[in-house]
Amino acid sequence: MRRDRREEISSGEHSVERSPQARSGWKTEFLSGSPVCGVLLCVLLWSALPSLLLAEYRLYFQETDDTLFAHVLGEPHSAPFDAGLLIRSGSVSANTPVVSSQYNVHKEPEAVIEISRPDSPFIGELTAIVFDGTRFAISDTKEYAQFGSLLGSTTTQPQVTGERLVSHEVTLELTGPMRSENSGTFRNYRLFAKFTHVMSGAVFRIPGYFAADGDAAQSGASRGDQWRVRFSPPFPGLYVAETNFRQGPNIALDPTPNTGTPIPGDGELVSFFAGKSRARSGFRKDGRVVKGRGRYFKHLQTGAYYLKSGADSPETFMAATVYRNGQLRPEFDNTINVGRTNPDFSVHVADWRPGDPTWRGDGGAIKGKGVTGALNFLARHGGNAFYFLGYNVDGGDGGNVFPWVSPSQKSVFDVSKLEQWRLLFNHATERNIAVHFVLQEEENDAEKTQQEELLFIREILARYGSNLAFFLNLGEEYRDRQTSQGGSTQILERDIAYARQIFPFYGPLFGLHNPPNDWSYFTASGLDFVSLQTGDIADVPQEASQLHISHPGISKAVTEVGPDSVGVSRDGRRDEPTFRGQLLASAMCNGAYGIQYYFGYRNNSDFTDIFSRGFENAHYNYSYSELFQQGKRFLDFFRRDVDLEEMEPSSQSIVNRAELDCGLLSNDNTLLLLYLSEAGSSRIQLPSGGLHDVTWYDPDTGSESYATVTGSRGQRVNLRRPSAGDWLVRVEKR
């Protein structure tokens, strides 16, 4: 049943978890020392309600299969109170009080009243009577109908599924109009839900999508009446979700809530309680990756920095194949197999583990073990990000990845394929791997109309925005162009503004990938990050430094280093110390939040950006595992007990520095992080006076050795290397 009287919940700045600790059943007296309230007294109180003080007490509800929890909330600084719930009219014990003792959490008073569901239905009103030790007051009044269906009773009422925990995915499952994969379904229907965190008042507006039969990854269905909204709660506590389900011409592209015609399922309300995550480590514990105060990203729950080291190749990841029945077959539905541009991930089937996701296709064949196993390999060797193109046909390099039923129908999305993608992305989240989704590339980014491009963005955000580390890159090698949609800057800022309207809070991060030596769009309004491409790996030190000087606040990662035919070495050991200094150290010392490895574009090779036989293949005698492990060792050094937002490049601290020597210095001059190259200096200027602890960190092994050094501020001192080679050094004032 739709509620006609709805209230906007006032905004706030804080949130705390509520653990219902209530007494069950129908009671006839207030507890915990408050005055006895028999039925007669309650009836008298009810008749006197108009004269009672209407204080700032609010009434919200949380339902389970057989119990209703009534939450009575006071203002942040209200005195402790007891609350009783009065039910007026109806067929079950009219004017019967239901009472509970109060409790406080972080000075936030709340009473939770647990009510067992009665056998027969009734209609009436609910009001809480509050006693704070000196006075009686009443809460706002809530209408209800069928008890146990307080927040909706139609057949379209959303069902809440998933783990109801912070940083876990909660899904609203809604039965709506029967539709199929056609343009009208994706253009002329629009679903979103407004999730209100009751205690803080924070509101999260999340887009929904057409899900066919609700199990399209397994069934391959293209028709159905199931619609979904996916949400990862950022705070513990009670949430109330209200659906907005409308129909109208091209309404999917209009974020204005009241446009269009309401259809069954619009205006439904449902509530759930999100507890704290039980995860002990990883994304589920640390929380969503969000933009910090400066150029770095942090996890929402713990404040830990997210620094990335992962794969930037193959960009055709979503066209991966494995051998089945003697032939290479795509891992996802409706994916073109063009041969040497489809990665062969057969070797990674062995990395799949029981419990990892799979899906069905091709006459019931089990698919997904190759791509899932590839992510397992990446995570096992320290990688925490993977990169791919979501659209590379129409002139793109690979010519085999697209989200639609056909490249010629760019407003008709392939539901089963996109649901299979979602299962893989969710697995990435479980393995603590960020999803770096690149919308398109230079060669094809003008092949869509404005409506088609915005619709593409909306579908991607609705289906995958609940992932905890989702980086949506709006274009690879984004260049100046004039199209019917306008100029490049105009198009870019339009796309970002639209994405922000669709998913404004604690959602995906939006960025851009530049061509070499072209930073002209890095000042576009709304960009969260940029992916830096260079013409040669030797250019990274200079370009990273120049980018930091010209755009000091921008979040950047070095993701594609040339020459484009070579990229990085497949075993990570091509002139290894120079490689570390040119790429890893230069990026981190100049404020980058990480790196991703590009594999080059070699014709007829078995390990490139377009075609790959996996991240490791003993038969072809290559492995990228050492690359991922080196990246992790570097990141571990730079993020351990370091507030990166308080650090700035400071290579001048190194006396007689070599080209690749570099460092970061804290703003209070008490911490210095250094990379000293193999041919570099071991002499530094102390940033502060006194005794300093020196930690030597071996980038080959991750082992450490320790020393101390003392001196006055600015004094030049020699640091004695434990052995020859390049080193990471931490100098910290004791």
Side-chain angles (χ1 to χ4, degrees), residues 676-677 681-682 694-699 701-708 718-730:
L676 301 181
S677 63
S681 172
S682 297
V694 180
T695 302
W696 294 90
Y697 188 91
D698 187 344
T701 65
S703 61
E704 298 180 358
S705 57
Y706 308 96
T708 59
N718 287 315
L719 302 179
R720 181 173 298 178
R721 299 187 187 215
S723 63
D726 59 332
W727 287 87
L728 291 163
V729 190
R730 179 186 178 109

Side-chain angles (χ1 to χ4, degrees), residues 96-123:
T96 299
V98 184
V99 300
S100 167
S101 58
Q102 64 80 33
Y103 69 99
N104 286 321
V105 179
H106 298 293
K107 299 182 180 179
E108 302 265 355
E110 175 182 11
V112 183
I113 304 165
E114 181 179 333
I115 311 167
S116 298
R117 176 178 293 176
D119 295 330
S120 56
F122 51 87
I123 298 175

